[in-house]
């Protein structure tokens, strides 16, 4: 056998000297798949938009570049708040978004993201991964021809940027406040006029005076969006989002068409992105908060009467929705006992530890 014959035989997996030389297994069995992902987050928010590029990179690496996901910012295919619709109708194969953006379709969408006065990040992950929450979310999403995977979390958020101080409940009356999800409905019951605006459009509205206050996330993201330049009072806590689970939402038909190994790669990449997202926020928020304070931001806690009134209205709203909306009731019947159980555990172990450390660190020079 001459050299050219040998190379040809080896390249086709033919038998040479009684031994079969096989082509790579992935090349033989795995198809090339190309998906488009539309994000609800502008490129300036490198942590949230970066979830998409991180997942795309890892999926490509895990599939020997056979499964490619191309990432698009809001407006490049559809606006940021139309991501779910684009996935549902097949305009794109997948998205990164908050399910709570779509409570106008059904308030039950809120549970996958977070409920006001609900879980913190660890509790939300426990409920989703271990407490049956993710199964409920996926069953619900089937009605929208979608499949969902947890893919990031902001951790506890701030209460937002206000042009004037909030000293009493009366100060909330008539306030035009950018706030998403069920938090907007709760604040409306306290006299606020809620507005839902995509991340990239918030600053211009605040600068023009169309809004009196805005909430988005926490210091790391808020600093990039520049809110401190037009509103100096920075309130906490963002009780409407003790965490915010970011969802990777795929078109259900496209998900079902994937080979099992591609599904596994996508699930693994999203789990990794979830952990890295929380780590990046926990790492970056403290320094960003100090920079904002140095630039003139004035940190303020919400008055206790605001917190108590909002808590009361939140659980009154949940009771009403559970009584009138079967999907919401299904989620709520799972959420409420799990929430109570998690509060009991954290009250005994986690919170005393955190509170003591916080107290002592403030006293150290």
């Amino acid at each position: 056998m001459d050299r050219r014959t040998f190379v040809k035989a080896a390249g086709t997996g033919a038998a040479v000297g009684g031994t079969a030389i096989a082509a790579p297994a992935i090349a033989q069995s795995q198809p090339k798949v190309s998906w488009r992902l539309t994000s609800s987050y502008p490129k300036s928010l490198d942590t949230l938009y970066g979830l998409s590029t991180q997942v795309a990179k890892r999926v490509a690496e895990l599939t020997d570049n056979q499964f490619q996901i191309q990432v698009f910012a809001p407006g490049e295919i559809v606006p940021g708040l139309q991501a779910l619709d684009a996935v549902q109708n097949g305009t794109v194969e997948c998205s990164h978004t908050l399910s709570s953006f779509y409570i106008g379709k059904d308030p039950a969408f809120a549970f996958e993201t977070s409920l006001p006065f609900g879980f913190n990040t660890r509790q939300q992950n426990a409920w989703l991964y271990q407490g049956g929450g993710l199964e409920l979310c996926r069953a619900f999403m089937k009605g929208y021809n979608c499949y969902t995977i947890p893919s990031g979390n902001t951790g506890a958020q701030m209460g937002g940027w206000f042009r004037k101080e909030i000293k009493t409940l009366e100060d909330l009356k008539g306030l035009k406040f950018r706030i998403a999800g069920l938090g907007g409905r709760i604040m409306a019951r306290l006299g606020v006029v809620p507005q839902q605006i995509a991340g990239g459009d918030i600053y211009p509205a605040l600068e023009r005076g169309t809004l009196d206050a805005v909430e988005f996330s926490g210091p790391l993201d808020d600093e990039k969006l520049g809110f401190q330049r037009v509103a100096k009072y920075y309130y906490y806590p963002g009780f409407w989002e003790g965490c915010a689970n970011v969802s990777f939402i795929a078109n259900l038909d496209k998900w079902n068409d994937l080979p099992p190994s591609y599904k596994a790669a996508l699930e693994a990449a999203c789990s990794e992105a979830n952990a890295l997202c929380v780590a990046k926020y926990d790492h970056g928020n403290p320094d960003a908060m100090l920079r904002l304070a140095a630039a003139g931001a004035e940190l303020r806690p919400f008055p206790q009467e605001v917190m108590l009134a909002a808590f009361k209205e939140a659980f009154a709203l949940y009771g009403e929705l559970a009584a009138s909306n079967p999907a919401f009731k299904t989620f709520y019947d799972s959420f409420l006992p799990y929430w109570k159980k998690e509060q009991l555990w954290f009250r005994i172990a986690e919170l005393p530890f955190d509170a003591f450390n916080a107290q002592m660190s403030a006293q150290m020079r």
Side-chain angles (χ1 to χ4, degrees), residues 199-210:
D201 301 324
I202 301 173
Y203 181 88
L206 184 64
E207 186 178 40
R208 291 194 303 267
T210 305

Side-chain angles (χ1 to χ4, degrees), residues 287-298:
D287 289 338
M289 182 179 66
L290 293 174
R291 289 193 298 269
L292 289 169
E298 297 188 20

